[in-house]
Amino acid sequence: MRTTALLLLLSLGTFAQSKTAAKRPNIVFIFSDDHAYQAISAYGNKLVQTPNIDRIAQGGVLFRNALVTNSICGPSRATLITGKYSHMNGYKANEGKFDVTQMLFPRVLQQHDYQTAWIGKWHLGSLPEGFDYWRILPGQGFYYNPNFIEKGKDTARVGGYVTDLITDFSVDWIKNRDSSKPFFLVVAHKATHREWQPDTQDLGAYDHINFPLPSNFYDDYKDRIAAKNQDMTIDKTMRMVEDLKVHVDWQRKTGLFSRMTPAQQAPFQAYYEGVTKDFDEKKPTGKALAEWKFQRYMKDYLATARSLDRNIGRLLDYIDASGLAENTVVIYASDQGFYMGEHGWFDKRFIYDESMRTAFMMRYPGVIKPGTQSDALMANIDWAPTMLDIAGVKAPADIQGRSFLPLVKTGSKNPAWRDAVYYHYYEYPEPHHVYPHFGLRSKQYTLVHFYGETDSWELYDLKKDPTQQHNVYKDAKYQQVIGGLKKQLKGLIEEYKDEEAMKVFNSSRS
Ligand code: SGN
Ligand code: CA
């Protein structure tokens, strides 16, 4: 009799446990590459619409101050999966092999019975760990007919357009997963990375738009040594053939074009021959050339983003139609911000606004009220601990970020939060000659120290100078502010244990 009761109790226990397990939310993390918040309608862009990305924001929260701690690809990915700064996870630049033997939060999820998968661009040198399934692009990957490396299988070339393929693989994985467990899936797109090759159906989608030049397109970089030293202007750095597809040798089909099938190449070639004709007729030089390049850049970049948005719509439709939506958190984020002609630039890297600030939105039915917006200084070190929080798992002590869930939950009472984000960038000189630098960003200020071949400081008052063109570091009026911010910066360097930065900070003579 007693045994039966015990058995009953035990089985009830198991039932209760599996019920809680079943209730733990799934997490779909859609991660794009170089997709600027300026290019997203949820962030106020009125020239092009991104209705599907906007759906995620409308269904939950949009972060207006989501910041990255080192604005390039590999380091951002390493921070996503460790919740740590580059100097702690060891991946400071896009080079070498990321150490996958360290604590990775997806592995912690696995230990708590989550199924985990990474599909798409990985870009960390080593092969993934902490994922039950993965299918990744080697390195940067290709837009057309890319190769994929699949867990346990050989590398294979797959026919099609990369954004469609990554979405197809993701939907298939969700369909075929073990549905007795909750899951965490990263859908890691290649779009909208350079060299912006649109899907053939999107060619010319924005040709009717004359994009306005950013107010600081012709920035003179006065009083800014690092901005002067960079090699990332649309005018000088952007390449006519590879980036802008003008005068491509279609016979020889070099580089990226070499992978296209004749059926893919035909509309592509016809379209860019039209672009080349326009160029040859106008023969732009000087400012006219810089502006011609800017228009072409915007059109190709945004056409590439069009497929990204459409495919995100397809994934969301599947999540909704399959009944998963109610118990699935959907996140959209870009690995960093990107310049859309501000300061005359493309690319990223700098602590300045357009590269440090990234798109981030999250839909969490029943927990976050649709249409919520947050101005909190949230950073990519917070992404891992937030996802662990969603899964009900305690974050390992060495994670450096914090869950932002308490800030945005329905009925949250404005809990205490950080008032500045620490930043440290390393990769120099190639590919874009941006000096290494560290600094902080608060709601009002950006203070930054450039080091290595230079020893210089900059301060921006973001309230008075939102386009960050006036370095007021030497301005007498700001000396007191600088004293306070330097103390705060030193405190952050200590808190995050950045020994290299501390040495540089202490030896700076300027
Ligand atoms: C490539 C690009 C660079 C870009 C880096 C890093 N050149 O080298 O413009 O900054 O990737 O980008 S390209 O001609 O090969 O496109 S990241 O997003 O992976 O960090
Ligand atoms: Ca990137």
Side-chain angles (χ1 to χ4, degrees):
M1 189 63 201
R2 284 178 74 184
T3 336
T4 327
L6 193 67
L7 274 176
L8 186 71
L9 260 175
L10 274 176
S11 66
L12 273 175
T14 327
F15 175 69
Q17 219 178 20
S18 64
K19 212 174 148 210
T20 349
K23 269 177 125 183
R24 285 185 298 165
N26 310 306
I27 305 171
V28 175
F29 193 98
I30 307 168
F31 204 33
S32 61
D33 194 5
D34 295 0
H35 194 208
Y37 67 82
Q38 309 93 294
I40 297 175
S41 40
Y43 281 99
N45 184 324
K46 295 199 172 51
L47 295 168
V48 299
Q49 296 301 308
T50 47
N52 294 299
I53 293 174
D54 295 7
R55 263 163 83 181
I56 302 171
Q58 284 150 6
V61 58
L62 176 87
F63 280 89
R64 297 205 158 276
N65 280 315
L67 305 173
V68 295
T69 48
N70 180 4
S71 179
I72 45 168
C73 192
S76 169
R77 281 144 214 268
T79 292
L80 159 65
I81 56 178
T82 60
K84 293 179 184 177
Y85 274 90
S86 310
H87 62 273
M88 297 303 271
N89 66 39
Y91 210 71
K92 297 175 178 173
N94 280 335
E95 64 189 21
K97 287 188 188 306
F98 171 64
D99 170 16
V100 286
T101 64
Q102 65 186 302
M103 183 282 298
L104 307 174
F105 96 89
R107 195 185 281 129
V108 179
L109 284 180
Q110 283 179 318
Q111 286 155 1
H112 288 82
D113 224 23
Y114 264 74
Q115 264 172 107
T116 59
W118 184 296
I119 294 171
K121 184 173 172 185
W122 166 254
H123 202 208
L124 281 167
S126 38
L127 294 176
E129 287 285 336
F131 295 94
D132 299 307
Y133 177 79
W134 47 263
R135 191 169 189 182
I136 59 167
L137 297 166
Q140 293 282 7
F142 290 96
Y143 277 106
Y144 281 89
N145 311 324
N147 283 81
F148 281 90
I149 319 175
E150 190 173 4
K151 187 178 183 183
K153 298 193 184 152
D154 271 350
T155 308
R157 188 186 281 214
V158 188
Y161 187 70
V162 71
T163 313
D164 294 339
L165 294 173
I166 290 169
T167 308
D168 291 346
F169 299 161
S170 299
V171 170
D172 284 351
W173 183 81
I174 299 176
K175 273 185 192 159
N176 299 322
R177 78 194 193 281
D178 169 1
S179 57
S180 69
K181 290 178 175 183
F183 70 87
F184 167 58
L185 165 67
V186 182
V187 183
H189 286 288
K190 170 177 174 60
T192 51
H193 195 275
R194 197 182 180 189
E195 296 145 337
W196 317 294
Q197 288 195 322
D199 185 350
T200 50
Q201 65 179 299
D202 298 313
L203 289 167
Y206 300 117
D207 282 3
H208 58 289
I209 303 177
N210 186 39
F211 291 93
L213 283 182
S215 65
N216 58 359
F217 185 74
Y218 291 113
D219 194 343
D220 59 6
Y221 314 128
K222 188 168 169 280
D223 299 327
R224 284 161 290 152
I225 287 170
K228 225 172 262 164
N229 189 64
Q230 52 61 42
D231 178 19
M232 51 188 258
T233 62
I234 292 171
D235 187 13
K236 299 206 168 61
T237 315
M238 200 172 268
R239 299 161 305 200
M240 290 308 292
V241 179
E242 296 86 344
D243 294 321
L244 300 167
K245 302 112 190 156
V246 168
H247 289 144
V248 174
D249 182 345
W250 296 105
Q251 250 51 56
R252 278 185 56 226
K253 287 215 313 183
T254 51
L256 294 177
F257 310 104
S258 64
R259 301 179 73 93
M260 290 181 160
T261 63
Q264 290 163 339
Q265 191 185 314
F268 213 83
Q269 179 174 348
Y271 178 74
Y272 288 104
E273 278 176 352
V275 170
T276 303
K277 192 163 165 264
D278 179 63
F279 179 80
D280 288 343
E281 278 166 14
K282 291 184 177 141
K283 294 193 185 56
T285 55
K287 279 191 169 180
L289 176 60
E291 289 174 29
W292 190 90
K293 287 174 129 184
F294 168 76
Q295 291 299 333
R296 287 304 326 155
Y297 164 47
M298 295 297 279
K299 288 170 173 73
D300 278 358
Y301 179 102
L302 294 166
T304 309
R306 197 163 182 257
S307 154
L308 176 68
D309 188 71
R310 181 171 58 245
N311 274 288
I312 289 172
R314 201 153 66 84
L315 179 62
L316 291 177
D317 288 347
Y318 175 74
I319 291 171
D320 292 349
S322 60
L324 283 167
E326 201 194 330
N327 196 35
T328 300
V329 174
V330 180
I331 296 171
Y332 178 73
S334 176
D335 63 345
Q336 6 75 199
F338 209 71
Y339 291 93
M340 304 295 294
E342 299 85 0
H343 304 280
W345 297 337
F346 66 100
D347 214 66
K348 49 257 177 178
R349 297 162 196 275
F350 280 104
I351 191 175
Y352 308 143
D353 184 71
E354 291 84 358
S355 35
M356 186 181 187
R357 188 139 71 99
T358 199
F360 193 100
M361 54 201 85
M362 177 164 106
R363 177 173 107 170
Y364 191 172
V367 175
I368 298 174
K369 211 162 75 216
T372 302
Q373 300 222 348
S374 171
D375 283 330
L377 291 169
M378 191 266 270
N380 57 344
I381 47 169
D382 302 325
W383 301 352
T386 300
M387 288 188 267
L388 288 169
D389 194 8
I390 290 169
V393 175
K394 195 172 175 302
D398 53 344
I399 280 191
Q400 295 184 297
R402 286 167 55 185
S403 168
F404 59 70
L405 214 49
L407 294 177
V408 293
K409 269 186 182 167
T410 310
S412 93
K413 302 223 164 21
N414 270 332
W417 191 250
R418 70 169 74 84
D419 52 15
V421 169
Y422 176 62
Y423 185 88
H424 196 164
Y425 168 82
Y426 303 82
E427 192 171 88
Y428 186 80
E430 295 309 328
H432 291 292
H433 298 201
V434 175
Y435 288 132
H437 57 284
F438 56 82
L440 67 74
R441 167 151 171 177
S442 69
K443 283 254 165 87
Q444 189 173 353
Y445 297 106
T446 293
L447 174 74
V448 49
H449 178 52
F450 291 93
Y451 66 94
E453 287 174 19
T454 179
D455 175 357
S456 67
W457 289 82
E458 295 175 5
L459 176 71
Y460 297 93
D461 184 336
L462 303 175
K463 280 213 176 115
K464 293 197 176 133
D465 177 27
T467 60
Q468 296 172 78
Q469 288 171 278
H470 304 285
N471 173 15
V472 292
Y473 185 74
K474 294 203 170 127
D475 187 329
K477 286 198 295 293
Y478 284 95
Q479 294 316 302
Q480 216 176 335
V481 169
I482 290 172
L485 290 173
K486 278 199 169 174
K487 225 187 241 162
Q488 193 176 6
L489 176 58
K490 212 164 177 175
L492 290 171
I493 293 173
E494 254 161 28
E495 179 186 340
Y496 295 120
K497 303 187 176 68
D498 191 348
E499 287 165 17
E500 185 187 343
M502 189 57 94
K503 266 191 222 135
V504 177
F505 186 107
N506 288 333
S507 63
S508 169
R509 303 262 162 265
S510 56

